[in-house]
mmCIF file of all heavy atoms in Angstrom:
data_model
loop_
_atom_site.group_PDB
_atom_site.id
_atom_site.type_symbol
_atom_site.label_atom_id
_atom_site.label_comp_id
_atom_site.label_asym_id
_atom_site.label_seq_id
_atom_site.Cartn_x
_atom_site.Cartn_y
_atom_site.Cartn_z
ATOM 1 N N ALA D 201 18.637 24.896 2.893
ATOM 2 C CA ALA D 201 18.498 26.341 2.701
ATOM 3 C C ALA D 201 17.046 26.779 2.707
ATOM 4 O O ALA D 201 16.733 27.911 3.083
ATOM 5 C CB ALA D 201 19.170 26.762 1.394
ATOM 6 N N SER D 202 16.135 25.897 2.300
ATOM 7 C CA SER D 202 14.707 26.244 2.286
ATOM 8 C C SER D 202 14.014 25.874 3.592
ATOM 9 O O SER D 202 13.089 26.573 4.034
ATOM 10 C CB SER D 202 14.012 25.565 1.103
ATOM 11 O OG SER D 202 14.153 24.153 1.161
ATOM 12 N N LEU D 203 14.441 24.795 4.229
ATOM 13 C CA LEU D 203 13.807 24.402 5.488
ATOM 14 C C LEU D 203 14.138 25.372 6.615
ATOM 15 O O LEU D 203 13.287 25.688 7.455
ATOM 16 C CB LEU D 203 14.233 22.987 5.882
ATOM 17 C CG LEU D 203 13.684 21.838 5.040
ATOM 18 C CD1 LEU D 203 14.275 20.512 5.499
ATOM 19 C CD2 LEU D 203 12.161 21.795 5.096
ATOM 20 N N ALA D 204 15.378 25.865 6.645
ATOM 21 C CA ALA D 204 15.798 26.741 7.746
ATOM 22 C C ALA D 204 14.940 27.999 7.850
ATOM 23 O O ALA D 204 14.363 28.272 8.915
ATOM 24 C CB ALA D 204 17.275 27.087 7.618
ATOM 25 N N PRO D 205 14.809 28.815 6.781
ATOM 26 C CA PRO D 205 13.981 30.020 6.920
ATOM 27 C C PRO D 205 12.505 29.728 7.133
ATOM 28 O O PRO D 205 11.830 30.446 7.882
ATOM 29 C CB PRO D 205 14.220 30.769 5.600
ATOM 30 C CG PRO D 205 14.733 29.756 4.649
ATOM 31 C CD PRO D 205 15.462 28.753 5.472
ATOM 32 N N SER D 206 11.996 28.669 6.506
ATOM 33 C CA SER D 206 10.571 28.357 6.694
ATOM 34 C C SER D 206 10.301 27.925 8.122
ATOM 35 O O SER D 206 9.263 28.282 8.710
ATOM 36 C CB SER D 206 10.127 27.280 5.698
ATOM 37 O OG SER D 206 10.891 26.099 5.831
ATOM 38 N N ARG D 207 11.233 27.195 8.730
ATOM 39 C CA ARG D 207 11.068 26.791 10.121
ATOM 40 C C ARG D 207 11.264 27.972 11.076
ATOM 41 O O ARG D 207 10.798 27.929 12.219
ATOM 42 C CB ARG D 207 12.056 25.663 10.448
ATOM 43 C CG ARG D 207 11.671 24.336 9.806
ATOM 44 C CD ARG D 207 12.754 23.284 9.943
ATOM 45 N NE ARG D 207 12.287 21.984 9.465
ATOM 46 C CZ ARG D 207 13.055 20.899 9.365
ATOM 47 N NH1 ARG D 207 14.339 20.963 9.690
ATOM 48 N NH2 ARG D 207 12.549 19.773 8.924
ATOM 49 N N MET D 208 11.977 28.997 10.605
ATOM 50 C CA MET D 208 12.176 30.205 11.406
ATOM 51 C C MET D 208 11.080 31.237 11.157
ATOM 52 O O MET D 208 11.173 32.385 11.594
ATOM 53 C CB MET D 208 13.556 30.790 11.108
ATOM 54 C CG MET D 208 14.699 29.884 11.563
ATOM 55 S SD MET D 208 16.337 30.403 10.960
ATOM 56 C CE MET D 208 16.686 31.765 12.071
ATOM 57 N N GLY D 209 10.017 30.813 10.406
ATOM 58 C CA GLY D 209 8.827 31.642 10.269
ATOM 59 C C GLY D 209 8.766 32.527 9.053
ATOM 60 O O GLY D 209 7.844 33.338 8.920
ATOM 61 N N LEU D 210 9.716 32.374 8.111
ATOM 62 C CA LEU D 210 9.733 33.220 6.925
ATOM 63 C C LEU D 210 9.018 32.553 5.760
ATOM 64 O O LEU D 210 9.052 31.328 5.613
ATOM 65 C CB LEU D 210 11.174 33.554 6.518
ATOM 66 C CG LEU D 210 11.752 34.858 7.101
ATOM 67 C CD1 LEU D 210 11.722 34.831 8.621
ATOM 68 C CD2 LEU D 210 13.164 35.091 6.587
ATOM 69 N N LYS D 211 8.393 33.374 4.926
ATOM 70 C CA LYS D 211 7.717 32.885 3.726
ATOM 71 C C LYS D 211 8.778 32.524 2.694
ATOM 72 O O LYS D 211 9.505 33.385 2.203
ATOM 73 C CB LYS D 211 6.765 33.944 3.183
ATOM 74 C CG LYS D 211 5.859 33.434 2.063
ATOM 75 C CD LYS D 211 4.891 34.511 1.605
ATOM 76 C CE LYS D 211 3.995 33.981 0.476
ATOM 77 N NZ LYS D 211 3.091 35.033 -0.045
ATOM 78 N N THR D 212 8.851 31.241 2.354
ATOM 79 C CA THR D 212 9.963 30.718 1.555
ATOM 80 C C THR D 212 9.440 29.997 0.317
ATOM 81 O O THR D 212 8.397 29.343 0.352
ATOM 82 C CB THR D 212 10.807 29.735 2.406
ATOM 83 O OG1 THR D 212 11.178 30.377 3.631
ATOM 84 C CG2 THR D 212 12.057 29.299 1.676
ATOM 85 N N LEU D 213 10.200 30.112 -0.776
ATOM 86 C CA LEU D 213 9.876 29.419 -2.026
ATOM 87 C C LEU D 213 11.082 28.609 -2.470
ATOM 88 O O LEU D 213 12.207 29.123 -2.530
ATOM 89 C CB LEU D 213 9.514 30.432 -3.122
ATOM 90 C CG LEU D 213 9.325 29.866 -4.540
ATOM 91 C CD1 LEU D 213 8.110 28.945 -4.597
ATOM 92 C CD2 LEU D 213 9.182 30.988 -5.565
ATOM 93 N N LEU D 214 10.864 27.347 -2.780
ATOM 94 C CA LEU D 214 11.899 26.491 -3.355
ATOM 95 C C LEU D 214 11.567 26.246 -4.821
ATOM 96 O O LEU D 214 10.501 25.717 -5.145
ATOM 97 C CB LEU D 214 11.982 25.157 -2.603
ATOM 98 C CG LEU D 214 12.918 24.082 -3.178
ATOM 99 C CD1 LEU D 214 14.347 24.595 -3.281
ATOM 100 C CD2 LEU D 214 12.869 22.814 -2.344
ATOM 101 N N VAL D 215 12.476 26.644 -5.707
ATOM 102 C CA VAL D 215 12.305 26.441 -7.151
ATOM 103 C C VAL D 215 13.288 25.362 -7.592
ATOM 104 O O VAL D 215 14.501 25.496 -7.387
ATOM 105 C CB VAL D 215 12.586 27.737 -7.946
ATOM 106 C CG1 VAL D 215 12.275 27.511 -9.422
ATOM 107 C CG2 VAL D 215 11.780 28.902 -7.402
ATOM 108 N N THR D 216 12.791 24.309 -8.189
ATOM 109 C CA THR D 216 13.657 23.224 -8.646
ATOM 110 C C THR D 216 13.187 22.736 -10.015
ATOM 111 O O THR D 216 11.996 22.797 -10.333
ATOM 112 C CB THR D 216 13.660 22.059 -7.628
ATOM 113 O OG1 THR D 216 14.547 21.033 -8.079
ATOM 114 C CG2 THR D 216 12.269 21.477 -7.441
ATOM 115 N N SER D 217 14.116 22.264 -10.818
ATOM 116 C CA SER D 217 13.772 21.858 -12.183
ATOM 117 C C SER D 217 12.961 20.570 -12.217
ATOM 118 O O SER D 217 12.243 20.307 -13.181
ATOM 119 C CB SER D 217 15.041 21.700 -13.021
ATOM 120 O OG SER D 217 15.895 20.718 -12.461
ATOM 121 N N ASN D 218 13.065 19.754 -11.163
ATOM 122 C CA ASN D 218 12.339 18.486 -11.117
ATOM 123 C C ASN D 218 12.048 18.142 -9.663
ATOM 124 O O ASN D 218 12.957 17.773 -8.914
ATOM 125 C CB ASN D 218 13.162 17.374 -11.791
ATOM 126 C CG ASN D 218 12.393 16.072 -11.912
ATOM 127 O OD1 ASN D 218 11.388 15.857 -11.243
ATOM 128 N ND2 ASN D 218 12.857 15.191 -12.788
ATOM 129 N N ILE D 219 10.797 18.265 -9.272
ATOM 130 C CA ILE D 219 10.416 18.011 -7.884
ATOM 131 C C ILE D 219 10.755 16.585 -7.456
ATOM 132 O O ILE D 219 11.128 16.337 -6.308
ATOM 133 C CB ILE D 219 8.910 18.299 -7.690
ATOM 134 C CG1 ILE D 219 8.656 19.810 -7.773
ATOM 135 C CG2 ILE D 219 8.409 17.748 -6.355
ATOM 136 C CD1 ILE D 219 7.198 20.212 -7.726
ATOM 137 N N ASN D 220 10.690 15.647 -8.384
ATOM 138 C CA ASN D 220 10.996 14.250 -8.062
ATOM 139 C C ASN D 220 12.476 14.007 -7.804
ATOM 140 O O ASN D 220 12.860 12.921 -7.372
ATOM 141 C CB ASN D 220 10.518 13.335 -9.188
ATOM 142 C CG ASN D 220 9.005 13.314 -9.322
ATOM 143 O OD1 ASN D 220 8.291 13.404 -8.326
ATOM 144 N ND2 ASN D 220 8.511 13.221 -10.548
ATOM 145 N N ASN D 221 13.302 15.018 -8.078
ATOM 146 C CA ASN D 221 14.740 14.881 -7.849
ATOM 147 C C ASN D 221 15.197 15.555 -6.561
ATOM 148 O O ASN D 221 16.399 15.587 -6.280
ATOM 149 C CB ASN D 221 15.525 15.481 -9.024
ATOM 150 C CG ASN D 221 15.877 14.423 -10.057
ATOM 151 O OD1 ASN D 221 15.508 13.257 -9.908
ATOM 152 N ND2 ASN D 221 16.565 14.810 -11.097
ATOM 153 N N ILE D 222 14.275 16.103 -5.795
ATOM 154 C CA ILE D 222 14.658 16.703 -4.516
ATOM 155 C C ILE D 222 15.301 15.646 -3.624
ATOM 156 O O ILE D 222 14.743 14.575 -3.409
ATOM 157 C CB ILE D 222 13.423 17.318 -3.816
ATOM 158 C CG1 ILE D 222 12.940 18.561 -4.577
ATOM 159 C CG2 ILE D 222 13.729 17.665 -2.362
ATOM 160 C CD1 ILE D 222 11.662 19.146 -4.042
ATOM 161 N N GLY D 223 16.497 15.935 -3.141
ATOM 162 C CA GLY D 223 17.203 15.003 -2.270
ATOM 163 C C GLY D 223 17.822 13.819 -2.980
ATOM 164 O O GLY D 223 18.227 12.847 -2.333
ATOM 165 N N SER D 224 17.924 13.886 -4.309
ATOM 166 C CA SER D 224 18.465 12.744 -5.055
ATOM 167 C C SER D 224 19.954 12.558 -4.779
ATOM 168 O O SER D 224 20.648 13.473 -4.337
ATOM 169 C CB SER D 224 18.245 12.930 -6.560
ATOM 170 O OG SER D 224 19.045 13.990 -7.059
ATOM 171 N N MET D 225 20.435 11.355 -5.037
ATOM 172 C CA MET D 225 21.832 11.005 -4.811
ATOM 173 C C MET D 225 22.423 10.484 -6.113
ATOM 174 O O MET D 225 22.529 9.273 -6.320
ATOM 175 C CB MET D 225 21.939 9.951 -3.715
ATOM 176 C CG MET D 225 21.462 10.441 -2.364
ATOM 177 S SD MET D 225 21.506 9.129 -1.144
ATOM 178 C CE MET D 225 21.868 10.071 0.332
ATOM 179 N N PRO D 226 22.835 11.386 -7.019
ATOM 180 C CA PRO D 226 23.347 10.945 -8.322
ATOM 181 C C PRO D 226 24.695 10.251 -8.237
ATOM 182 O O PRO D 226 25.070 9.532 -9.150
ATOM 183 C CB PRO D 226 23.447 12.250 -9.119
ATOM 184 C CG PRO D 226 23.588 13.311 -8.090
ATOM 185 C CD PRO D 226 22.789 12.860 -6.919
ATOM 186 N N CYS D 227 25.420 10.455 -7.136
ATOM 187 C CA CYS D 227 26.704 9.772 -6.971
ATOM 188 C C CYS D 227 26.567 8.749 -5.841
ATOM 189 O O CYS D 227 25.609 8.002 -5.800
ATOM 190 C CB CYS D 227 27.812 10.797 -6.705
ATOM 191 S SG CYS D 227 29.465 10.159 -7.090
ATOM 192 N N ASN D 228 27.491 8.732 -4.918
ATOM 193 C CA ASN D 228 27.480 7.717 -3.871
ATOM 194 C C ASN D 228 26.262 7.855 -2.962
ATOM 195 O O ASN D 228 25.916 8.960 -2.546
ATOM 196 C CB ASN D 228 28.766 7.832 -3.043
ATOM 197 C CG ASN D 228 29.012 6.614 -2.193
ATOM 198 O OD1 ASN D 228 28.180 5.718 -2.118
ATOM 199 N ND2 ASN D 228 30.152 6.569 -1.559
ATOM 200 N N THR D 229 25.647 6.734 -2.646
ATOM 201 C CA THR D 229 24.479 6.765 -1.758
ATOM 202 C C THR D 229 24.932 6.619 -0.307
ATOM 203 O O THR D 229 24.475 5.737 0.418
ATOM 204 C CB THR D 229 23.488 5.653 -2.121
ATOM 205 O OG1 THR D 229 24.156 4.394 -2.060
ATOM 206 C CG2 THR D 229 22.925 5.859 -3.497
ATOM 207 N N SER D 230 25.809 7.511 0.116
ATOM 208 C CA SER D 230 26.273 7.478 1.502
ATOM 209 C C SER D 230 26.158 8.862 2.113
ATOM 210 O O SER D 230 26.190 9.876 1.418
ATOM 211 C CB SER D 230 27.727 6.993 1.592
ATOM 212 O OG SER D 230 28.614 7.969 1.104
ATOM 213 N N ILE D 231 26.007 8.891 3.423
ATOM 214 C CA ILE D 231 25.990 10.117 4.202
ATOM 215 C C ILE D 231 27.029 9.976 5.300
ATOM 216 O O ILE D 231 27.044 8.995 6.036
ATOM 217 C CB ILE D 231 24.598 10.364 4.835
ATOM 218 C CG1 ILE D 231 23.530 10.538 3.759
ATOM 219 C CG2 ILE D 231 24.642 11.585 5.760
ATOM 220 C CD1 ILE D 231 23.646 11.792 2.938
ATOM 221 N N GLY D 232 27.905 10.974 5.418
ATOM 222 C CA GLY D 232 28.922 10.950 6.461
ATOM 223 C C GLY D 232 30.261 10.455 5.951
ATOM 224 O O GLY D 232 30.568 10.557 4.775
ATOM 225 N N GLY D 233 31.058 9.911 6.857
ATOM 226 C CA GLY D 233 32.429 9.528 6.540
ATOM 227 C C GLY D 233 33.397 10.447 7.267
ATOM 228 O O GLY D 233 32.982 11.314 8.042
ATOM 229 N N PRO D 234 34.694 10.278 7.055
ATOM 230 C CA PRO D 234 35.683 11.107 7.753
ATOM 231 C C PRO D 234 35.399 12.599 7.588
ATOM 232 O O PRO D 234 35.233 13.083 6.472
ATOM 233 C CB PRO D 234 37.001 10.716 7.067
ATOM 234 C CG PRO D 234 36.771 9.319 6.582
ATOM 235 C CD PRO D 234 35.315 9.273 6.173
ATOM 236 N N ALA D 235 35.322 13.312 8.682
ATOM 237 C CA ALA D 235 35.033 14.755 8.740
ATOM 238 C C ALA D 235 33.592 15.055 8.308
ATOM 239 O O ALA D 235 32.881 15.817 8.966
ATOM 240 C CB ALA D 235 36.021 15.557 7.900
ATOM 241 N N LYS D 236 33.129 14.450 7.221
ATOM 242 C CA LYS D 236 31.779 14.696 6.714
ATOM 243 C C LYS D 236 30.718 14.271 7.735
ATOM 244 O O LYS D 236 29.687 14.930 7.880
ATOM 245 C CB LYS D 236 31.558 13.933 5.409
ATOM 246 C CG LYS D 236 32.403 14.409 4.227
ATOM 247 C CD LYS D 236 32.355 13.369 3.109
ATOM 248 C CE LYS D 236 32.985 13.847 1.828
ATOM 249 N NZ LYS D 236 32.062 14.634 1.000
ATOM 250 N N GLY D 237 30.956 13.155 8.421
ATOM 251 C CA GLY D 237 30.005 12.691 9.420
ATOM 252 C C GLY D 237 29.851 13.688 10.560
ATOM 253 O O GLY D 237 28.767 13.837 11.128
ATOM 254 N N ILE D 238 30.937 14.384 10.888
ATOM 255 C CA ILE D 238 30.873 15.395 11.943
ATOM 256 C C ILE D 238 30.060 16.596 11.461
ATOM 257 O O ILE D 238 29.305 17.195 12.239
ATOM 258 C CB ILE D 238 32.297 15.802 12.377
ATOM 259 C CG1 ILE D 238 33.033 14.571 12.933
ATOM 260 C CG2 ILE D 238 32.242 16.906 13.434
ATOM 261 C CD1 ILE D 238 34.488 14.793 13.254
ATOM 262 N N ILE D 239 30.184 16.939 10.184
ATOM 263 C CA ILE D 239 29.343 18.002 9.616
ATOM 264 C C ILE D 239 27.867 17.648 9.772
ATOM 265 O O ILE D 239 27.046 18.494 10.129
ATOM 266 C CB ILE D 239 29.678 18.235 8.126
ATOM 267 C CG1 ILE D 239 31.044 18.912 7.986
ATOM 268 C CG2 ILE D 239 28.602 19.072 7.444
ATOM 269 C CD1 ILE D 239 31.459 19.154 6.542
ATOM 270 N N VAL D 240 27.515 16.387 9.523
ATOM 271 C CA VAL D 240 26.111 15.974 9.634
ATOM 272 C C VAL D 240 25.628 16.095 11.082
ATOM 273 O O VAL D 240 24.492 16.517 11.338
ATOM 274 C CB VAL D 240 25.908 14.539 9.105
ATOM 275 C CG1 VAL D 240 24.437 14.147 9.171
ATOM 276 C CG2 VAL D 240 26.411 14.424 7.677
ATOM 277 N N ARG D 241 26.484 15.765 12.036
ATOM 278 C CA ARG D 241 26.135 15.944 13.450
ATOM 279 C C ARG D 241 25.923 17.421 13.774
ATOM 280 O O ARG D 241 25.029 17.787 14.533
ATOM 281 C CB ARG D 241 27.252 15.379 14.325
ATOM 282 C CG ARG D 241 27.429 13.870 14.219
ATOM 283 C CD ARG D 241 26.463 13.126 15.087
ATOM 284 N NE ARG D 241 26.917 13.076 16.468
ATOM 285 C CZ ARG D 241 26.290 12.416 17.440
ATOM 286 N NH1 ARG D 241 25.173 11.765 17.169
ATOM 287 N NH2 ARG D 241 26.755 12.402 18.668
ATOM 288 N N GLU D 242 26.737 18.277 13.165
ATOM 289 C CA GLU D 242 26.599 19.724 13.384
ATOM 290 C C GLU D 242 25.315 20.247 12.750
ATOM 291 O O GLU D 242 24.637 21.109 13.321
ATOM 292 C CB GLU D 242 27.822 20.448 12.817
ATOM 293 C CG GLU D 242 29.100 20.128 13.577
ATOM 294 C CD GLU D 242 30.354 20.703 12.943
ATOM 295 O OE1 GLU D 242 30.281 21.218 11.805
ATOM 296 O OE2 GLU D 242 31.412 20.631 13.590
ATOM 297 N N ILE D 243 24.989 19.721 11.573
ATOM 298 C CA ILE D 243 23.721 20.083 10.928
ATOM 299 C C ILE D 243 22.557 19.750 11.856
ATOM 300 O O ILE D 243 21.625 20.542 12.029
ATOM 301 C CB ILE D 243 23.572 19.348 9.585
ATOM 302 C CG1 ILE D 243 24.559 19.924 8.550
ATOM 303 C CG2 ILE D 243 22.137 19.425 9.060
ATOM 304 C CD1 ILE D 243 24.679 19.096 7.289
ATOM 305 N N ASP D 244 22.623 18.595 12.498
ATOM 306 C CA ASP D 244 21.565 18.198 13.419
ATOM 307 C C ASP D 244 21.508 19.119 14.624
ATOM 308 O O ASP D 244 20.419 19.544 15.040
ATOM 309 C CB ASP D 244 21.801 16.757 13.876
ATOM 310 C CG ASP D 244 20.652 16.237 14.725
ATOM 311 O OD1 ASP D 244 19.564 16.031 14.173
ATOM 312 O OD2 ASP D 244 20.840 16.070 15.946
ATOM 313 N N ALA D 245 22.669 19.448 15.188
ATOM 314 C CA ALA D 245 22.714 20.305 16.368
ATOM 315 C C ALA D 245 22.154 21.689 16.075
ATOM 316 O O ALA D 245 21.636 22.359 16.973
ATOM 317 C CB ALA D 245 24.152 20.412 16.878
ATOM 318 N N LEU D 246 22.243 22.131 14.813
ATOM 319 C CA LEU D 246 21.740 23.445 14.406
ATOM 320 C C LEU D 246 20.293 23.391 13.912
ATOM 321 O O LEU D 246 19.747 24.406 13.493
ATOM 322 C CB LEU D 246 22.642 24.024 13.309
ATOM 323 C CG LEU D 246 24.050 24.431 13.760
ATOM 324 C CD1 LEU D 246 24.944 24.648 12.561
ATOM 325 C CD2 LEU D 246 23.994 25.681 14.625
ATOM 326 N N GLY D 247 19.687 22.211 13.935
ATOM 327 C CA GLY D 247 18.277 22.097 13.563
ATOM 328 C C GLY D 247 18.025 21.663 12.136
ATOM 329 O O GLY D 247 16.907 21.779 11.645
ATOM 330 N N GLY D 248 19.050 21.148 11.450
ATOM 331 C CA GLY D 248 18.906 20.725 10.065
ATOM 332 C C GLY D 248 18.242 19.368 9.917
ATOM 333 O O GLY D 248 17.909 18.697 10.908
#
């Protein structure tokens, strides 16, 4: 949500309670899987 507008040229601010937790994986350390993996491919196709 913060990378998209900043890459599209907008002045963006990301506020988080702990900078060291950005992108953390508190549950399963996996990306993708049934249906979810296709979402990740779509995220890539849209510039994510």
Side-chain angles (χ1 to χ4, degrees):
S202 58
L203 289 176
S206 58
R207 288 171 173 174
M208 294 170 77
L210 268 58
K211 189 177 180 183
T212 307
L213 172 66
L214 174 58
V215 185
T216 182
S217 60
N218 186 343
I219 289 175
N220 294 325
N221 266 2
I222 290 174
S224 69
M225 296 176 148
C227 201
N228 195 354
T229 57
S230 72
I231 298 292
K236 293 166 171 276
I238 299 174
I239 289 179
V240 182
R241 294 278 279 184
E242 293 173 351
I243 289 169
D244 186 69
L246 291 166

